[in-house]
Amino acid sequence: MTDPTNNPIPPDDDEEKKSKIGTDEWVSQVDDRVRGRSGVLGRLVALWEAIPESWRYTGVLLLVIAFPVISGTDAFLELFDIGDNAFILRTGVRFLTFAILAIGLNVVVGYAGLLDLGYIAFMGIAGYLYAYMSSEFVQIEGLIPYGLAIPSIVSIPLIVLIVAGIGYLIGSVSIRLAGDYLAIVTLGFGQVFIQLALTATRVSVPGFDRPVDLTRGPNGINNLDDITLFGYTFESTMQYYYLFLLLLIIVFVVVNNINRSRIGRAWRAVREDELAAEVMGTPTRRMKLLAFAIGAGIAALAGAVDAAFQGNVVPNPRYSVLTLINLYAMVVLGGTGSLIGSIVGAFIFTILPELLRNIAAAGVLFYGVGIIGLYAALRPWRRFALVMGGTLVGGLLLKLIVPAINPAWDNGFPEAGSVLNQIVQGWLVIPENFQLVGNIVTGLAIFFLLAAMFLRQRQHLFHVLLGLAIYSFAFSWETRLAVEPSATRILVVGATLVVLMVARPQGLLGKTEVKII
Amino acid sequence: MLHITNLNKAFGGLQVIHNLDIQVGRQEIVSVIGPNGAGKSTTLNLITGIYKPDSGDIRFEGESILGMQPHDITKLGIARTFQTLRVFLNMSVIENVMTGAYCHTNSGLFSTIFRMPGWRQEEEKIRQMAEEKLSFFGSRLQGYRYDQPAYSLSYANRRRLEIARAMMTDAKLLLLDEPAAGMNPHESAEITDLIGQLRDEGYTILLIEHDMNVVGKISDRVAVLDYGQKIAEGSYEEVTTNERVIEAYLGRRHEELG
Amino acid sequence: MTIELFFQLLPQTLVNGLTLGAVYALIALGYSMVYGILKLLNFAHGDIYMIGAYLGYGVFIMFFVDDTALIPTGLIIVLMLVVAMVGAGIVSVAVERFAYRPLRYAPRIAPLISALGVSFILQNLTQITVSPRPLSYGSGTLIATGNSFAIGDLKVHASRFLVIGVTLILMFALTYFVTQTRLGRAMRAVSMDLDAAQMMGVDVNQVILVTFFIGAALAGAGGVLVGIVFFSIKHTMGFQAGLKGFTAAVIGGIGSIPGAALGGLLLGLAESFFSVYVSITFKDALAFVLLLIILLIRPSGLLGQPIVKKV
């Protein structure tokens, strides 16, 4: 009994630590603990979260503010193999525009839970309104000889208000329809808008003896005025970059403030359980319309300033469903309901396709994502090493054997963009008519991958099929995909969407939702 | 306080509520009991405005609430809980309660966007009030629980949360739809005490309940529904010895049927 | 427009409308069946239809060497249809397995985005591996240009009959399958309540796969038929067609099989009449105006079941 090692009671301070395990509080924090532990990403997130919040925001903000200067340096341009800074800045402006649009969409879809597929039309209407107000397009003899030329300080707020009103109207018609029907009707609204924009070139308007051209059809309206605020005119891309940045910050703060108030709570309650929210005293219809109107207003802000930046309004594809899909991808990828998520989503979806324009960068991305994906799918790492090693050795063997049988089977030379391409092409057996073979191999690659997924239980076969898939994907990339960058870009974006959704249905920064079935 | 007169409601050809009269006085606890399908929950849905009655009248503090939107009815001072729990699962506990304050707060869009002092005060007031309502249930919904998502709560705690949310609307009349359903005897005894306390706080309560221990212990008056009709009303003892009530619950005796 | 002209154009417009409506109905059925079971708006469905058209094209060029048919053209058409239907079905089943099944209990919007991703992939894979230019089934190669039937004054090309005939056959087969077979019954059960059906021993995964296969097979057939009637196919053809099929499904009442057929037919006729008698430029807007009106009058479509509010 005197032997201290037999003492069943551990020291006090130790017990304090232990006793937390199993208590309600400890159990209820399980989500955080699980999240904190997950792999490399989890560790990065933990590092990021260790920085105080205000520092984080300031840091990112400073980086974004300083970006145009950094991107102008020779070192940066050389690194990304880009000729001049203007292109980078245009991409930056596009990112900021889409970030604003994504936040607006997030209000409607993420907060209020309304599937609005006509959102892009609000941006379009704002663009056309800006064109009417700030160009020589609207001309009536004797009355308005040289266009309206309304100053931006008046026209932009006016457009935002008008479009928010239109959003309210569209909302009040369609909100009576539940769920998916709302989506369909708003989609219809978007389609009607773009059809009108494309075709309303000869419309008979009362009071005019000739048909009036309202939109100039697919060519759109050109020569819009730049934005002028308090005597300062925004002209260069860099000036617009800062203007959009300012607008993004304003929109972010406004939406964030609304979200952290009774209105935000009401939106979330409506999204969770509309009936319960209504019975608990939330005017659900009014809340939904408010979300619709705010979303439309934000879209209008981005749309009008974007029209000024571009100097024109061209309906296709800027205001088409394609852009809408892109926006949805941003919001959902970032996590519906997460403001920062929307911005991150916009960043990924504007920067990624630009990176993919450069074949060398696209190659790095393709192989990089592939290898990381394999590594994640094949744990423990020994399996990964086995498959990769097997494929490498198998490829080398082929390289030795095939030309020995018939040299004509290995004398194709596709374009080699970078060192990486040259290495991979040196490893592959590439026949002369590599384009035709490439098509077939692309099909085979997908087949091998699907077969591997279906036969996951049979390990050896699985590994062999995976190796074959790797080889044929590399072949397909070198001979076909990398050669057609325009289609490949969208292909990669599509694949990213599917993979990300399957891996993280709630989006990158979204929270998992719990539903009782 | 609440006067329901001659209420009728049919779904298709089925008469669910038939000439129903119920009065609830100030600070009274009135229980509505009856077999499954007797129309108890429908009555609550009619009072809260989710369904529109075919005929009859519902008056609250002298004012007819017929045809009003559910959120306007709540604003007048009627709040309810649900038999099938309907807490906002993916919101935090404190937020769940705070949503109940919407109908008696009034910060507009402008003061929200610019975080005006008025907004700040109101927001603080809401938070304080929500904490106060939660403290009603002891420590189990306090402290670290505030920021837990509601889905992490146990069944009994979700019921308590629903009651807190209903209290948050500043209601005078609480409609409780089977608050003891799915609870163990210990928990339902506790909820019985709690309903009594609510009355002492000044609430009026209309209770729907299957658990006769709960009903018997706290009801001032009991109304019994069967096939949408009120077949008996009175004190718990009166009602439980009533022939028609026993019949409704247990069926007629064999020889009577013959 | 004079009355004479009106009557002169009427029969041709009617035939055009029926043809178009038949194709819309074929696409709408797949949309509707999938929605009925999974409540999923399968945005990749239009691209499945496109894949069908391309598979048909593959068979076409295989048996047409230097503009001469290796086997009778009737047989080629049958082969094209069969290959397109089976191929589209297989593609669709694979899509379900990898892009939708993992998301069955995810938030509603996740499979939607996944579907959009699949749509991107199918379109661009076709563009890369086949051709970015429109391809032609060759006007008059499969069914000779003069091969028409006279109904009164009106000459109706045989391809129109083919479209309407094949659509009718497929619809009857589908109706038989859904109402008379064991699997069809399981399908209806799953569309009523997926979880309950699962607990009652229905193999839900199998039912869903079959649904996707059948829906895609119908769309694939639609793709081939469109190629035969209008000659030209393109890798982007799925998008507009998908929207139209979707609209047709909703007009008829999404989830309802006869509704999808009715909706397709109505939409085809409306478009055909509208573009002849009113304005061809607003043709595409018409579909959605029609949709809006019908939804506001009958919120669950023409033949859809009304939604019951549960408390």
Side-chain angles (χ1 to χ4, degrees), chain B residues 210-228:
Chain B
H210 270 302
D211 189 331
M212 287 306 157
N213 291 326
V214 179
V215 175
K217 221 181 257 171
I218 47 167
S219 305
D220 296 317
R221 229 154 14 95
V222 179
V224 188
L225 292 193
D226 192 26
Y227 293 110

Side-chain angles (χ1 to χ4, degrees), chain C residues 58-70:
Chain C
V59 175
F60 173 75
I61 54 167
M62 219 182 276
F63 289 103
F64 261 94
V65 181
D66 298 331
D67 277 347
T68 39
L70 301 180

Side-chain angles (χ1 to χ4, degrees), chain B residues 7-44:
Chain B
L7 200 65
N8 280 290
K9 174 74 186 173
F11 289 122
L14 186 70
Q15 194 73 28
V16 188
I17 301 291
H18 192 68
N19 286 339
L20 184 69
D21 294 289
I22 290 176
Q23 324 302 323
V24 183
R26 192 168 294 278
Q27 268 184 283
E28 207 180 10
I29 298 180
V30 175
S31 295
V32 177
I33 62 171
N36 288 326
K40 305 182 297 289
S41 288
T42 308
T43 311
L44 284 205

